[in-house]
Amino acid sequence: MQPASNPTVILGGGFAGLFTALHLSQQNYTHPIILIEQRDRFSFKPLLYELLSGELHSEQVYPRYKELLAGSSVNFVQDTVEFIDLDQRQVTLDSGKVFRYSHLVLALGSKTTYFNTPGAAEYAMPFTSGEQVIALRKHLRHRLHEAIQTDDSAKRRLLLTVAIIGAGPAGIELACTLADLLPIWYDELGGDAAEIRVFLVNRSREILKGDVNSHLRCTVQTALKNRVVPVDFLFDAAVSKIQADGIEYQKQDKTQILQAGTIVWTAGTAPNPLLMELAVPHNRGRLLVTPTLQIPEFPEVFAAGDCATDAENPQPPTAQVAYQQGKAIAVNLKRMREGKLTVPMPISMRGTLMKLGLNESVANLFNKVQIKGQPGHLIRQGTYLELLPNPAHNHKVTAEWLTDELFQRHRPVSHMQLGQTHWLSGAIALMAGLILASPLIWRAAQPIQFQQSLGWTGVPSLLNQLTPPPR
Ligand SMILES: Cc1cc2nc3c(=O)[nH]c(=O)nc-3n(C[C@H](O)[C@H](O)[C@H](O)COP(=O)(O)OP(=O)(O)OC[C@H]3O[C@@H](n4cnc5c(N)ncnc54)[C@H](O)[C@@H]3O)c2cc1C
């Protein structure tokens, strides 16, 4: 038996782990809290496309844990977890440090898997963290600079071709973003934007297969075609090899090659190997937990996010589930410390949101209403900006974003897609103004209905921060 004074240790500072830590701190949890994470910065994954495009800054979407946790009671340890001993109630880190715990939260997420595809780990770029996004941005910029300097048309074609492997939500959102963004970047260098090619490569014909967003397929297909350069589909293509200058794939029993100067891998995730070593039940690599997110044999251990699942009420591996679970765990940890029973907390799916290009998204409300285009974009941004951890951080980003929307301060899209005429910028600012004003009018007229209908989107509290609600 470990002394109760041992700390509560949280492994992994993603959505589940970081939000558990922040909620514990906010509810004045009186025991030491230690958050162990291998990286020094938190990646707000749903907004990584905005980090790539420059629509949001790195300190907004990819902030340092030290900054996020400043003023909280959470002790941040940057290190890699090497071994978890549930029987001895201790974890060993790469540095050799050993932490004993009274309570443990497993929030280690999942890993990228390349399905043993030769060359994939060497030549395909992953897209799951801020660090990887910054590397991709640098790589793409470099490719465009090389392309503008060459007179060799075959070489330029290769340099200007991007292959994105995987037509799940990340592959699609990235393809839409790049098909709008790269023409703008290349145009700024004096290149012919029409030469940019973005390929979406998928093993089957079906996009968004088995994903929570699968019902958005038609909207997504239209959006992929309507970008500044239309996204090319390479479907029924099983990638068999990746090289520095392209991919080899099997299609209709033939081996074919797509030459590409940039290859991005979004095709698969695998369970965190560290958790697979634990002698507790798993389901497809995710730890099986009770409705209260505890490991049945070890009730002092909680698990959440992409690395855990409740067999009776399985949830998709998404950020919106992970952060709600973080809050639920914090509540139950406090109850346990107070000698109370743990209770299941409801997890509500708030609809789905997808970025379908610069300033274009689809917000799918309750699987019934789809709000597309610029209004969808405003709902998506508002929802995620509301979620950014730490109120000071959140407020700063929200205010900056709204200023940009209204006054066009630093929008990369301004050059090509929207043209450079003042009247058009003015019309767009006016449209954004009208879109932003309508919730204010609704809130003033029917405050309760407004809160009930839009509460899940985060828009009411976002507005409350910016303008006081009417009395
Ligand atoms: C590009 C992209 C876009 C996405 N968009 C959306 C979206 O729009 N909406 C949505 O709901 N979801 C989205 N998701 C999914 C969502 O981000 C994940 O479901 C969510 O991050 C899961 O949270 P988590 O805390 O379980 O894991 P993670 O957020 O992956 O966090 C796990 C943490 O554990 C750390 N870690 C791992 N191993 C170790 C170790 N051995 N030692 C120390 N630390 C370790 C990792 O560094 C990481 O910080 C997106 C994912 C990606 C990649």
Side-chain angles (χ1 to χ4, degrees), residues 14-16 37-39 45 49 81 272 305-306 317-320 384:
F15 278 88
E37 161 62 45
Q38 61 195 358
R39 299 197 167 103
K45 293 180 184 177
Y49 318 100
V81 181
N272 192 309
D306 286 4
T318 57
Q320 58 171 314
Y384 285 139

Side-chain angles (χ1 to χ4, degrees), residues 127-295:
F127 191 85
T128 62
S129 71
E131 199 179 356
Q132 292 163 354
V133 171
I134 289 166
L136 176 62
R137 187 170 60 194
K138 211 170 144 193
H139 171 92
L140 287 165
R141 288 271 195 199
H142 186 62
R143 287 291 190 240
L144 298 183
H145 275 103
E146 284 181 306
I148 201 78
Q149 284 164 8
T150 182
D151 293 328
D152 177 341
S153 60
K155 186 173 175 203
R156 201 166 56 246
R157 192 175 167 80
L158 179 136
L159 290 166
L160 295 178
T161 302
V162 179
I164 298 166
I165 300 167
I172 287 166
E173 291 177 288
L174 182 60
C176 286
T177 304
L178 289 181
D180 278 353
L181 183 66
L182 293 180
I184 294 166
W185 282 356
Y186 197 45
D187 178 70
E188 283 169 357
L189 296 176
D192 176 4
E195 287 189 290
I196 301 282
R197 295 186 313 158
V198 178
F199 281 87
L200 194 56
V201 185
N202 202 37
R203 180 180 275 274
S204 76
R205 282 218 76 73
E206 220 176 306
I207 61 170
L208 294 169
K209 201 171 177 183
D211 188 78
V212 280
N213 296 295
S214 54
H215 52 281
L216 297 178
R217 209 168 271 144
C218 286
T219 306
V220 166
Q221 262 156 349
T222 309
L224 285 162
K225 285 182 199 147
N226 288 344
R227 307 316 333 133
V228 175
V229 292
V231 174
D232 287 308
F233 302 132
L234 187 51
F235 290 168
D236 282 328
V239 176
S240 46
K241 192 173 166 188
I242 297 189
Q243 296 159 177
D245 59 355
I247 61 171
E248 182 193 276
Y249 60 95
Q250 313 295 317
K251 190 173 165 81
Q252 291 163 345
D253 296 329
K254 282 195 200 124
T255 301
Q256 303 185 43
I257 303 276
L258 171 70
Q259 291 213 306
T262 303
I263 301 153
V264 190
W265 187 275
T266 67
T269 51
N272 192 309
L274 208 56
L275 302 179
M276 295 305 289
E277 290 168 10
L278 300 178
V280 290
H282 297 81
N283 183 3
R284 295 183 177 185
R286 296 176 82 183
L287 298 171
L288 275 175
V289 290
T290 63
T292 52
L293 304 172
Q294 289 161 284
I295 305 274

Side-chain angles (χ1 to χ4, degrees), residues 11-18 36-39 41-49 65 77 79-82 93 106-111 127-129 133 169-171 173 212-213 266 269 272 274 304-308 316-323 325 349 351 353-355 380 384:
L11 306 184
F15 278 88
L18 178 63
I36 302 173
E37 161 62 45
Q38 61 195 358
R39 299 197 167 103
R41 287 169 181 259
F42 171 68
S43 293
F44 196 100
K45 293 180 184 177
L47 293 176
L48 286 180
Y49 318 100
Y65 284 101
V77 175
D79 209 330
T80 302
V81 181
E82 286 288 312
L93 308 186
L106 300 170
L108 292 166
S110 54
K111 297 227 156 199
F127 191 85
T128 62
S129 71
V133 171
E173 291 177 288
V212 280
N213 296 295
T266 67
T269 51
N272 192 309
L274 208 56
D306 286 4
C307 73
T318 57
Q320 58 171 314
V321 169
Y323 83 81
Q325 290 178 331
M349 286 299 283
L353 305 159
M354 282 187 77
K355 184 171 176 74
R380 178 177 172 276
Y384 285 139

